[in-house]
Amino acid sequence: MPRLGNKLRKAARTPTTTAKPKVFELRTGTRNEMGPPVRFSTEAALRRAATKALRDWEPWCLRHNNAGTAELKDAVMRVSTRFAELDADPRTIDCLFDEHYGAHIVLTARKVAD
């Protein structure tokens, strides 16, 4: 045991952590172009990220088009049911929240077979 002055102290242990495999994948984008896939270790984390991606557009709707807030809230409600029990087949939520500009957001989630 190492000494510290007149006292003996125990050697510090390095903590052993095992990283959880990230088996759930979420892609966010538009109908024309999807962003890069982001991986999550749990379905709950994936659903939180999908909900945040939809709620990030609420200030834009409040500024430009109040009608889009209802569409975004409907899409947030669909996240919990549509993205439950994911498998290898991708599941998609398409939310058109402004018809004048054609503004929409597309979320695709799947379970990655690693």
Side-chain angles (χ1 to χ4, degrees):
M1 291 175 111
R3 283 191 167 265
L4 181 64
N6 288 337
K7 298 180 182 180
L8 292 175
R9 68 177 176 94
K10 293 182 179 179
R13 256 191 196 180
T14 58
T16 57
T17 58
T18 57
K20 289 184 179 181
K22 296 186 176 187
V23 295
F24 298 101
E25 182 180 275
L26 176 69
R27 294 185 77 183
T28 311
T30 64
R31 292 179 191 149
N32 298 332
E33 183 177 344
M34 294 298 284
V38 179
R39 290 194 171 189
F40 299 94
S41 57
T42 62
E43 277 188 65
L46 180 134
R47 286 195 299 269
R48 280 194 302 271
T51 302
K52 184 184 179 318
L54 289 168
R55 289 185 191 242
D56 284 347
W57 283 98
E58 283 183 11
W60 188 88
C61 285
L62 292 174
R63 188 178 317 123
H64 296 287
N65 182 5
N66 244 357
T69 56
E71 295 296 326
L72 286 172
K73 287 180 183 177
D74 183 44
V76 167
M77 296 300 290
R78 285 185 290 167
V79 165
S80 60
T81 58
R82 185 81 174 131
F83 289 166
E85 298 177 8
L86 292 170
D87 51 9
D89 296 329
R91 296 187 184 173
T92 304
I93 293 176
D94 188 357
C95 176
L96 175 67
F97 55 88
D98 192 343
E99 292 178 4
H100 178 71
Y101 291 111
H104 57 275
I105 185 170
V106 179
L107 304 170
T108 303
R110 70 184 179 113
K111 186 172 184 178
V112 181
D114 275 345

